[in-house]
Amino acid sequence: MENNDLHGKLLADFHQFEQTLNGGINMPFQILRREAAERFRALGFPTIRLEEWKYTNVMPLIKHDYTALPAAVPPVDAFPAPPDFIPENAVKIILINGRFSPDYSLPDAMPAGLGVSSFDTTDTETKNMIGKILDFSDNAFTALNTAFAYYGAVLKIADNANISQPITVLNYTDARDAAIFAQPRLFIYAGRNSQASIIEYSATIGEQPALVNSAIEIIAAENSSIRHYIIQDDTAAKITASHIRQAAASLYYAVTLTLGGHFVRNTAVAELAAPGAEAHFYGLALGSDKRLIDNHTMVDHAAPHCQSNEHYNHILDDRSTAVFNGKIYVRKGAQKTNAYQSNRTILMSGSATINSKPQLEIYADDVKCSHGATSGCLDETSLFYLRSRGISEEKAKALLLHAFAAEISNKIQIGNTRLKIDEIIAKRLHDEE
Amino acid sequence: MLEIKNLFAEIEGKNILNGVSLNIRPGETHAIMGPNGSGKSTLASVLAGREDYEVTSGEILFDGHSLLEMQPEERARAGIFLAFQYPVEIPGVSTANFLKAAMNELRKSRGQDPLDAMDFLALMREKSKLVEIDRSFLQRSLNEGFSGGEKKRNEVFQMAMLEPKLAILDETDSGLDIDALKIVSNGVNALRNDNNAFVIITHYQRLLNYIIPDFVHVFYKGKIVRSGGKELARELEEKGYDWLKGTA
Ligand SMILES: Nc1ncnc2c1ncn2[C@@H]1O[C@H](COP(=O)(O)OP(=O)(O)OP(=O)(O)O)[C@@H](O)[C@H]1O
Ligand SMILES: [Mg+2]
């Protein structure tokens, strides 16, 4: 079976890769990587028989002859310049083919309080933290990413630092000469009372099959705030995993905009580990053609007095499919939890599909949890109202869709980025002057 | 300008309009009164092009063109405007942005260039004064969270901006306080001229003290059962509709 071919090949790649690494083999993270490779061996690629992958068939993706071995890294100028929604003054962290490329990344003047390093060169304390929270026990892709995560990037935000320049993580993939299966990895530590905004964006060049399997771990210390903007508009297939562990009174605020890409699967976990922590997940998916966009989120209310708020909007046209699986887990003792979730879908075509599944598991009794999911066509009454003023049906649809999309894109708190993204969305939804 | 000839319409197999005939000439104001459920809003919706209703027979000519073959937006571009009895809330689309889109489509259909931002703002300023609508409303989402009266005022504001040939005001007076009623009526009166016409659907003779109609029609069970001058409204106010029931 082709699936097994790739599975076996990647394991062979892993062993070959291990051979090439000199020293450091007994570092805690190296041991973890070996465990992850073993786990990947045991799990194999997920099939649609697994509940978590029921609507998301990866088989068509993994039939290609990929290599996961870090290929030669082309120079950064082989890739298009960052889009104009990335602020000029942003700190740029560049990963090419999954490898952190410090030479292209580190600006001369790094903002005070921001430390950037790579997995192999970072300090021992950090090395010991890497890989501790991103669980790969039941996710083959996360296991695979962990096995190959040698060239990941580390961002450390010092206690009390307020980083005003957005930190942009650019993931570039070169699929010009061969099929590529990149494994970018990021570790972020946000110190006590620190604040930072992160923009993630990825782009691929070349026509060969590309699969970008990225993973990110964030440890948010007490009273820290992280705003995380994930702009997905890549030609590569994308599988992402993120896990944030939040200490007391920390804030995690994520906006995921899936504007393009034929296959996107995001798995995001927020672990509210201490009182007063707050997580926000906002997501927008624009589906067209035969694209698939899958968002699996999990909010783990593990402590009392925490809040979570989740709001995903989908616009699906043609034969596109979206999957939304929102798990809210309220542990025993997580009293006074406040958890809200909503998922709304506008279906623009009879052949588009949404599979939406809220999953609430509540083991505490003094909590407020609510969720709602709606799907349907654009509201006829609203369309008629707009048309009755002379607006064409097409433009009326575009206005309504744009407004629906903007409910999410307006959550971006970097003014110029919000404006530029809004322009892109307007264009995609044909709402132009 | 508008000729409605023996119009029948139904929804979900239920007859709502049962032979409406009405002629409106430029410069005229017609009031339509009649009991709840008699089909006044249905007539307004059919004129504006709402597709839920099926016209089973009859004909509507607007400036000589058959209205029934036109899309709602084409009717608007031809000069028909409906002030809704229940204006729709549209989250995320500001009144200003929406009107700009509407205005530019109307202009495009007349072969005019889009208004530039400055001219559009100036026009909004002028017309918002006419109906005394606070300009902060224009930046808010269309009708979202507006009070009943604010929504009605917003309808009249839109009418003032778009300057239709034929405006149909469906119970624009309900929900307006006495001051607002005067303001809205003054706004309408200021827009009246020899080339346009108004259809005012109302339950109250009070509005007709401010907007003085040339004709009053009484709607009952889906058709006009009686027409007269403005004194008919006063008669209805006194006697109610019971005395008409034998006539249907
Ligand atoms: N979508 C619909 N489905 C079924 N019946 C409808 C529908 N829309 C309107 N009707 C019916 O058509 C009839 C006429 O309604 P319409 O709204 O035109 O009355 P109206 O004269 O405007 O009343 P009001 O003075 O209360 O505004 C009513 O009996 C109403 O219930
Ligand atoms: Mg009515």
Side-chain angles (χ1 to χ4, degrees):
Chain A
M1 220 171 86
E2 285 180 316
N3 174 18
N4 285 343
D5 287 351
L6 180 64
H7 183 240
K9 179 171 187 290
L10 292 170
L11 286 164
D13 281 358
F14 175 75
H15 291 294
Q16 198 187 327
F17 181 47
E18 285 289 272
Q19 303 293 312
T20 64
L21 299 176
N22 298 318
I25 283 306
N26 292 318
M27 298 295 295
F29 187 60
Q30 300 297 88
I31 296 167
L32 192 76
R33 289 180 44 237
R34 290 182 164 182
E35 286 171 20
E38 268 317 301
R39 195 61 200 145
F40 174 66
R41 179 197 304 282
L43 287 168
F45 284 110
T47 69
I48 55 171
R49 268 169 293 166
L50 293 174
E51 187 61 29
E52 291 289 290
W53 295 86
K54 193 170 166 185
Y55 303 106
T56 303
N57 184 7
V58 301
M59 291 306 146
L61 290 184
I62 57 174
K63 65 179 188 222
H64 302 292
D65 186 24
Y66 296 112
T67 175
L69 279 182
V73 170
V76 72
D77 52 23
F79 298 95
D84 63 0
F85 58 77
I86 308 269
E88 292 266 319
N89 69 342
V91 176
K92 292 181 187 71
I93 307 298
I94 292 174
L95 285 83
I96 301 178
N97 294 347
R99 294 172 78 148
F100 173 46
S101 305
D103 291 353
Y104 299 126
S105 300
L106 301 177
D108 300 335
M110 198 50 101
L114 176 64
V116 178
S117 55
S118 64
F119 279 21
D120 54 335
T121 59
T122 194
D123 59 86
T124 314
E125 190 196 355
T126 308
K127 275 183 180 154
N128 286 332
M129 288 194 281
I130 293 174
K132 288 286 153 57
I133 61 171
L134 191 62
D135 178 27
F136 55 72
S137 64
D138 63 357
N139 186 328
F141 288 100
T142 312
L144 185 67
N145 177 286
T146 306
F148 283 95
Y150 183 82
Y151 296 108
V154 174
L155 303 180
K156 280 185 95 171
I157 300 146
D159 288 351
N160 306 313
N162 180 353
I163 314 287
S164 58
Q165 294 164 253
I167 304 164
T168 300
V169 178
L170 295 163
N171 260 306
Y172 289 130
T173 308
D174 178 4
R176 287 176 298 183
D177 300 329
I180 177 164
F181 194 165
Q183 318 286 339
R185 176 92 173 201
L186 210 60
F187 175 84
I188 300 174
Y189 180 85
R192 269 184 285 132
N193 310 316
S194 67
Q195 293 186 34
S197 298
I198 295 151
I199 304 175
E200 267 192 86
Y201 175 75
S202 69
T204 301
I205 53 170
E207 301 298 318
Q208 300 300 320
L211 175 50
V212 178
N213 174 35
S214 66
I216 172 165
E217 282 175 297
I218 306 175
I219 295 183
E222 242 173 80
N223 204 37
S224 59
S225 320
I226 294 278
R227 289 179 174 76
H228 191 181
Y229 305 113
I230 302 147
I231 318 298
Q232 301 181 316
D233 196 12
D234 199 340
T235 52
K238 282 189 84 72
I239 294 174
T240 78
S242 68
H243 188 126
I244 174 152
R245 178 174 291 164
Q246 297 186 242
S250 61
L251 169 78
Y252 178 63
Y253 181 104
V255 182
T256 304
L257 306 178
T258 307
L259 310 176
H262 64 99
F263 181 102
V264 177
R265 159 68 177 246
N266 299 314
T267 307
V269 179
E271 186 186 338
L272 302 167
E278 193 179 321
H280 297 256
F281 283 107
Y282 300 102
L284 170 69
L286 304 184
S288 59
D289 304 322
K290 286 163 85 173
R291 298 170 45 206
L292 172 103
I293 301 149
D294 174 347
N295 281 291
H296 268 62
T297 64
M298 145 89 149
V299 182
D300 182 358
H301 281 268
H305 296 282
C306 291
Q307 260 194 62
S308 66
N309 179 20
E310 207 173 343
H311 191 150
Y312 276 75
N313 281 2
H314 298 136
I315 299 175
L316 304 178
D317 203 349
D318 305 324
R319 303 183 60 186
S320 61
T321 302
V323 180
F324 175 77
N325 188 298
K327 204 181 280 183
I328 299 176
Y329 194 85
V330 182
R331 290 177 193 255
K332 207 166 170 250
Q335 301 295 12
K336 305 286 180 194
T337 285
N338 213 331
Y340 172 81
Q341 181 188 92
S342 100
N343 169 220
R344 291 160 55 208
T345 303
I346 296 179
L347 295 166
M348 296 302 292
S349 132
S351 311
T353 316
I354 169 74
N355 297 294
S356 180
K357 184 175 162 196
Q359 237 180 311
L360 274 61
E361 286 184 46
I362 301 171
Y363 300 99
D365 49 19
D366 185 11
V367 302
K368 271 191 207 145
C369 291
S370 69
H371 68 91
T374 60
S375 71
C377 308
L378 275 178
D379 179 43
E380 279 299 326
T381 312
S382 306
L383 274 176
F384 177 66
Y385 188 71
L386 298 175
R387 292 174 70 193
S388 77
R389 301 300 185 243
I391 295 172
S392 67
E393 186 173 7
E394 212 183 4
K395 176 75 180 177
K397 283 182 180 169
L399 275 172
L400 295 177
L401 292 178
H402 186 185
F404 181 70
E407 284 179 13
I408 303 299
S409 63
N410 280 343
K411 299 292 176 187
I412 298 175
Q413 295 179 345
I414 303 167
N416 201 44
T417 300
R418 182 177 59 243
L419 279 176
K420 296 286 191 225
I421 293 274
D422 186 64
E423 284 170 16
I424 294 173
I425 291 174
K427 207 174 216 168
R428 300 282 164 94
L429 299 173
H430 310 291
D431 183 24
E432 292 174 284
E433 297 277 302
Chain B
M1 176 188 280
L2 183 76
E3 276 178 82
I4 305 175
K5 296 181 189 164
N6 205 22
L7 187 72
F8 286 75
E10 60 178 47
I11 188 162
E12 291 161 14
K14 185 175 156 199
N15 290 324
I16 313 280
L17 299 182
N18 294 304
V20 180
S21 295
L22 181 65
N23 272 326
I24 298 176
R25 283 174 294 266
E28 293 178 350
T29 296
H30 292 243
I32 295 181
M33 305 183 80
N36 294 131
S38 57
K40 304 179 298 297
S41 293
T42 302
L43 176 64
S45 297
V46 169
L47 289 173
R50 178 115 211 190
E51 277 143 13
D52 303 7
Y53 301 94
E54 197 196 333
V55 172
T56 49
S57 75
E59 150 171 63
I60 309 175
L61 296 178
F62 185 65
D63 286 341
H65 301 287
S66 173
L67 205 60
L68 294 172
E69 268 131 54
M70 293 158 75
Q71 297 294 318
E73 56 269 36
E74 292 169 335
R75 300 180 192 203
R77 292 170 195 163
I80 290 184
F81 179 95
L82 169 61
F84 284 62
Q85 181 173 3
Y86 305 108
V88 184
E89 297 196 7
I90 310 218
V93 178
S94 70
T95 301
N97 195 17
F98 151 71
L99 270 178
K100 194 154 120 210
M103 190 101 183
N104 285 340
E105 296 240 20
L106 293 183
R107 292 178 65 89
K108 195 164 80 186
S109 72
R110 295 177 199 139
Q112 295 167 316
D113 286 335
L115 269 189
D116 72 36
M118 293 305 286
D119 291 344
F120 179 73
L121 273 178
L123 191 66
M124 285 226 297
R125 200 167 302 140
E126 178 197 329
K127 302 293 184 180
S128 61
K129 270 191 206 129
L130 187 70
V131 293
E132 297 184 28
I133 196 166
D134 192 297
R135 265 183 290 136
S136 68
F137 277 92
L138 309 179
Q139 300 308 328
R140 278 171 53 183
S141 284
L142 188 51
N143 294 326
E144 195 186 25
F146 285 24
S147 76
E150 287 161 355
K151 284 179 184 168
K152 297 299 175 77
R153 240 195 247 210
N154 192 309
E155 294 291 286
V156 178
F157 169 68
Q158 292 174 34
M159 179 182 80
M161 288 289 289
L162 301 174
E163 296 187 326
K165 268 194 209 158
L166 174 69
I168 304 151
L169 278 63
D170 191 357
E171 294 197 28
T172 302
D173 54 333
S174 345
L176 290 181
D177 64 42
I178 296 172
D179 291 342
L181 186 72
K182 281 186 203 158
I183 293 163
V184 163
S185 307
N186 291 340
V188 170
N189 287 331
L191 295 168
R192 284 167 82 169
N193 63 40
D194 290 345
N195 302 316
N196 62 17
F198 289 80
V199 175
I200 313 273
I201 297 171
T202 181
H203 285 294
Y204 305 106
Q205 122 83 19
R206 195 184 56 188
L207 175 70
L208 305 179
N209 290 336
Y210 298 107
I211 305 174
I212 297 169
D214 304 299
F215 302 94
V216 175
H217 309 280
V218 183
F219 228 77
Y220 186 64
K221 290 195 174 165
K223 63 179 182 194
I224 292 170
V225 293
R226 197 165 172 140
S227 297
K230 60 176 191 284
E231 62 296 336
L232 181 56
R234 204 159 298 128
E235 206 176 337
L236 286 170
E237 185 96 344
E238 279 162 23
K239 300 192 192 163
Y241 293 116
D242 272 355
W243 61 284
L244 284 168
K245 288 189 178 162
T247 60

